[in-house]
Amino acid sequence: MNWTVIRQYLPLYRKAAGLTVRIGLLGIAAAILIGLFCTAVQRSRIPVFRQLVSAYIELSRNTPLLVQLFFLYYGLPKIGVPTNAVACGIAGLAFLGGSYMAEAFRSGVEAIDIIQEESAYSLGLSRGQTLRYVIFPQAFSVSVPAFVANVIFLLKETSVFSAISLMDLMFTAKDLIGLYYKTTESLFLLVVFYLLILLPISLLGTLLERRTRHAGFGT
Amino acid sequence: MSNPILTLSHLTKRFDELLVLDDLSLTVHEGEVVVIVGPSGCGKSTLLRCMNALEEIQGGEIRLHGELVSKSSKNLTELRQKIGMVFQSYDLFPHLTVLENIVLAPMKVQKRSREDASKEAMALLARVGLEEKAASYPRQLSGGQKQRVAIVRALCMHPEILLFDEVTAALDPEMVREVLDVILRLADQGKTMLIVTHEMQFARAVADRIILLEAGRIQEEGTPEEFFDSPKTERAKKFLQTFTFERKRLEQPQSQN
Amino acid sequence: MPDLGLSVLLKGKNFARILGGLGVALKISLVSVAISLLLGTLLGILMTWKNPLSRAILRLYLEFIRIMPQMVLLFLVYFGTTRAFGWNLSGELSSVIVFSLWGTAEMSDLVRGALTSIPAHQYESAAALGLSKRQSYFFVVLPQAVRRLIPLSINLITRMIKTTSLVLMIGVVEVLKVAQQIIEANRMSSPNAAFGIYLTVLLLYFFACWPISLLAKYLERRWR
């Protein structure tokens, strides 16, 4: 391992990591919104919308992100939809992540006993108030482990962004290997940077999970 | 009797093919305590749930002060505020403290100030001996304490009638007493209540009127004395027999050693 | 209406070539799944043992594999082994190695989870009935654990199939690569073919994974 080379590459990786995190977080934020929307629609009684949401969830969960990105980035412009790599990256991650978030939230909502809803109604709370003050706060704590797992999963999935020429960590590593044959240093930095991004979230997740479990509900 | 609060007329409730309530009529008057008894599965709980429009009904109607109570009532949330309900178990909101549980609906539904609602909540908690538990979470309470909080939560909305759905059925025997005492005191204060219970001693003590519900119909009704001491119908006699025990000692068969 | 790829798809052996590409992806995933199921089950059982050293080592392996993007693992094996050991692994072999390592880690965690999810009173009531340790394991614990496990392992297959799309990035000619080649070859005659061809690839993946997901969901519901 050549430390001079590593020091020399460091800024490149830092920049790439910034891009990975930025696009990752934007995509995840959008995925959370889509997930909440899907959960709300699935709980509502509007038939066509529910089926559309189910269809979206199946399509999104049963296709790889890389193929979704190829379609968005290379396919859509052919029917006149203007795209750029960053927008495609965010959109792809949101399209993939939305269904995963929806499943996490749904399992949280389903874990809440029906009696909770009924006793809220019996106190005179409306449907909306019941969701807001009684169901969602409880559902969220139940969903925490699945939610954190999804965040980590989606950040890992950003590693395919180099396929649509986004200069993320993978792109940088591949570039440096191809150009200068500094394989060891390039791969070392690649692993280190992904660990720097993902380990804190994973640890935070373990911590949160332990806390919500200790604050456990019921008896 | 004084003026009627809740009137059920020709109530019919079906779960698919199963007839649970069969053309049932009942009037509850102001200040009256009505206790409903009956074998499991006779429709007692369903009856209470219908009164709070938690179940759809297939026939008849429910009126509170002459206003229709149904799932499609426009002012359903207002009607539900006037009908307090305490469930069998686990209906406190686990993510909220005792005090927050009690003041949630007064603040969000009746738009009362936090101060005002908290003051009343604390006073009510003191009356059931739980004021020091105000900041606790439900999981830190015993079953009996939880049910007392649930009663306070319903009371804090100033309901005109309180429904109790087997509130002691899930409790350990030594906790039953503390909950029933609270309900007895409410009866003394003249609260209008409809109580479903399996505790016959308690029913006798608290009720103005006892109703035996079986097969979705009122089989017998009367004062506690009439019902327990001289039941008129065979069904009532048979039902009351299930609460007395006697041991029939058999002759030991000789083939066994 | 300009051609969006349908005619290109129907031209010559193009569709068959794409299916062939999908076949390569499926082959890699099925081989890796088979290895993962076997090794993962073994490791999962090992992980329920109380030996602290073996547990620590397995834990480290599991956590590293699961926290790294599979792309990074592919790069480590494909480029890294060449550098470190002078091996010249083919893209296909590298991917089978990586996906087996990954699948084994995932599978072992599923097995461990299924085994530890059986509540203690099941062991106890089996013991109280007079069953031996081995008997309670085979007649009480395993049948329950397997029911929990099967839907989850079927899900692992779809995850594996989706993950194989990555092998494009280390030069394996699979369905996306074939699609690229076809689009490139017909660039002049049908400049807009990318839309239809990539849509086809998307749908092919969907129809490969969807039935498997449905099966897993069905079994999960039935055996709950």
Side-chain angles (χ1 to χ4, degrees), chain C residues 40-113:
Chain C
T41 308
L42 282 177
L43 274 195
I45 294 172
L46 276 184
M47 284 166 109
T48 60
W49 288 9
K50 302 238 165 356
N51 183 333
L53 183 69
S54 72
R55 272 174 93 145
I57 294 174
L58 289 173
R59 192 87 221 152
L60 196 69
Y61 160 71
L62 184 76
E63 294 297 337
F64 180 77
I65 296 280
R66 294 182 80 187
I67 205 163
M68 275 296 127
Q70 289 100 315
M71 272 306 299
V72 175
L73 299 176
L74 273 179
F75 269 40
L76 285 180
V77 170
Y78 186 64
F79 295 112
T81 54
T82 313
R83 179 73 188 202
F85 313 110
W87 299 346
N88 206 348
L89 299 181
S90 75
E92 280 178 49
L93 185 58
S94 303
S95 24
V96 168
I97 293 175
V98 166
F99 296 148
S100 301
L101 282 173
W102 171 70
T104 300
E106 293 287 340
M107 186 65 193
S108 69
D109 200 48
L110 295 180
V111 170
R112 187 192 56 81

Side-chain angles (χ1 to χ4, degrees), chain A residues 45 113-127 129 132-135 137-138 141 214-219, chain B residues 49 52 54 77 80-81 83-85 87 89-96 101 104-105 108-109 111 138-139 146 153-154 157:
Chain A
R45 302 195 179 120
D113 200 317
I114 182 88
I115 195 104
Q116 289 285 321
E117 207 176 320
E118 292 181 346
S119 49
Y121 291 153
S122 81
L123 286 167
L125 269 72
S126 66
R127 267 179 89 85
Q129 287 175 322
R132 183 165 157 211
Y133 298 115
V134 177
I135 307 295
Q138 295 183 58
S141 347
H214 281 307
F217 296 145
T219 40
Chain B
R49 291 167 58 81
N52 221 335
L54 292 172
T77 58
R80 276 173 167 161
Q81 293 171 45
I83 309 174
M85 182 155 178
F87 295 81
S89 60
Y90 307 129
D91 66 324
L92 292 185
F93 306 129
H95 61 299
L96 302 177
N101 258 284
L104 176 71
K108 302 300 174 196
V109 180
K111 311 287 177 205
R139 74 193 130 85
K146 275 191 235 179
R153 187 175 68 179
M157 292 295 284

Side-chain angles (χ1 to χ4, degrees), chain A residues 21-65:
Chain A
V21 170
R22 232 178 8 254
I23 295 182
L25 291 186
L26 282 173
I28 289 169
I32 293 172
L33 291 182
I34 295 176
L36 283 174
F37 175 75
C38 291
T39 314
V41 168
Q42 282 186 321
R43 275 184 69 85
S44 76
R45 302 195 179 120
I46 323 163
V48 183
F49 277 87
R50 274 177 72 166
Q51 275 134 23
L52 277 177
V53 164
S54 310
Y56 153 69
I57 289 178
E58 293 298 332
L59 185 67
S60 149
R61 287 183 74 94
N62 286 299
T63 48
L65 178 61

Side-chain angles (χ1 to χ4, degrees), chain A residues 58 61-64 66 70-71 74-75 78-79 100 156 159-160 162 174 181 184 187 191 194-195 198, chain C residues 66-69 71-72 75 80 83 162 165-166 169 180 191-192 194-195 198 202 205-206 209-210 213 217:
Chain A
E58 293 298 332
R61 287 183 74 94
N62 286 299
T63 48
L66 187 60
F70 264 61
F71 177 69
Y74 300 109
K78 307 295 182 193
I79 56 165
Y100 281 81
K156 282 165 62 177
S159 60
V160 303
S162 56
K174 192 169 187 176
Y181 299 102
T184 318
L187 291 178
V191 168
Y194 267 113
L195 281 180
L198 295 167
Chain C
R66 294 182 80 187
I67 205 163
M68 275 296 127
M71 272 306 299
V72 175
F75 269 40
R83 179 73 188 202
K162 287 187 286 174
S165 62
L166 300 182
M169 313 283 275
Q180 259 179 341
N192 294 326
F195 179 83
Y198 285 136
L202 192 76
Y205 265 106
F206 177 72
C209 294
W210 193 44
S213 301
K217 215 182 265 178

